């Protein structure tokens, strides 16, 4: 079974994504002790996607997919191009406005640090975390999974 939806990149909708994640995970049979982890991890990943869209001025929808098989899998996908890739030509171009280039570099470093911190938090929450991308559209996908009863890999932490 797969549940897919998308939402406007606004913080107000992250809570709804968290609630849907917890509900679908509970129906899938994720252990009760892991439901808060699912809710928090999906919230962090969705917040990351919303911020990536906001920082790049994108109105594209954030995509969410929950699938149930051997494990409960949550995927959150943004369309935000990597800032380093988008700005690399501008930073190293040597075109006038040295202060602007320095400010761009500082903003990129701050954004990268913020994303790294979010991924560290996610790594602490979720045993099975994979971040892929940027893809053909320039976005990234955060994939997380949790064991289901009878999957043979049910480790509760």
């Amino acid at each position: 079974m797969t549940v897919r939806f998308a939402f406007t990149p606004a913080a107000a909708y992250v809570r709804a994504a968290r609630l849907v994640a917890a509900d679908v995970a509970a129906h899938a049979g994720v252990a009760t002790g892991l439901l808060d982890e699912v809710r928090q991890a999906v919230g962090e990943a969705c917040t990351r996607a919303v911020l990536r869209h906001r920082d790049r001025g994108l109105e594209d929808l954030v995509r969410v997919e929950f699938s149930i098989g051997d494990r409960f899998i949550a995927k959150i996908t943004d369309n935000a191009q990597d800032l380093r890739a988008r700005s690399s030509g501008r930073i190293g171009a040597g075109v006038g406005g040295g202060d602007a280039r320095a400010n761009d570099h500082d903003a990129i470093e701050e954004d990268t640090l913020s994303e790294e911190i979010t991924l560290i938090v996610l790594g602490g929450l979720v045993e099975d975390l994979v971040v892929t991308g940027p893809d053909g559209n320039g976005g990234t996908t955060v994939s997380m999974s949790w064991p289901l009863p009878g999957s043979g890999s049910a480790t509760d932490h």
Side-chain angles (χ1 to χ4, degrees):
M1 178 177 93
T2 302
V3 175
R4 290 184 187 101
F5 64 95
F7 64 91
T8 302
Y13 301 115
V14 171
R15 183 172 189 272
R18 290 174 49 159
L19 292 173
V20 171
D23 190 50
V24 173
H27 286 300
V30 170
T32 304
L34 294 176
L35 292 179
D36 282 340
E37 179 181 299
V38 169
R39 186 179 6 256
Q40 186 175 1
V42 168
E44 289 289 337
C46 286
T47 297
R48 175 185 176 272
V50 166
L51 291 174
R52 285 175 55 83
H53 279 229
R54 184 203 66 199
D55 290 347
R56 290 144 180 95
L58 297 175
E59 295 294 325
D60 299 356
L61 299 176
V62 172
R63 298 181 312 276
V64 180
E65 178 180 299
F66 303 121
S67 54
I68 302 163
D70 292 341
R71 297 178 64 85
F72 173 73
I73 301 170
K75 293 181 181 181
I76 292 78
T77 303
D78 64 66
N79 292 326
Q81 183 181 31
D82 182 54
L83 272 179
R84 289 184 188 276
R86 183 187 74 193
S87 300
S88 62
R90 221 176 31 203
I91 291 171
V95 181
D99 289 342
R101 288 195 327 260
N103 289 340
D104 286 348
H105 182 70
D106 290 345
I108 292 167
E109 290 300 319
E110 183 178 317
D111 184 68
T112 301
L113 180 61
S114 175
E115 284 189 36
E116 288 173 2
I117 291 170
T118 299
L119 293 176
I120 289 169
V121 169
L122 282 171
L125 282 172
V126 182
E127 213 171 282
D128 184 17
L129 169 70
V130 177
V131 180
T132 56
D135 61 18
N137 296 326
T140 60
T141 298
V142 174
S143 299
M144 305 168 284
S145 75
W146 291 267
L148 293 174
S151 66
S153 61
T155 55
D156 213 338
H157 53 288

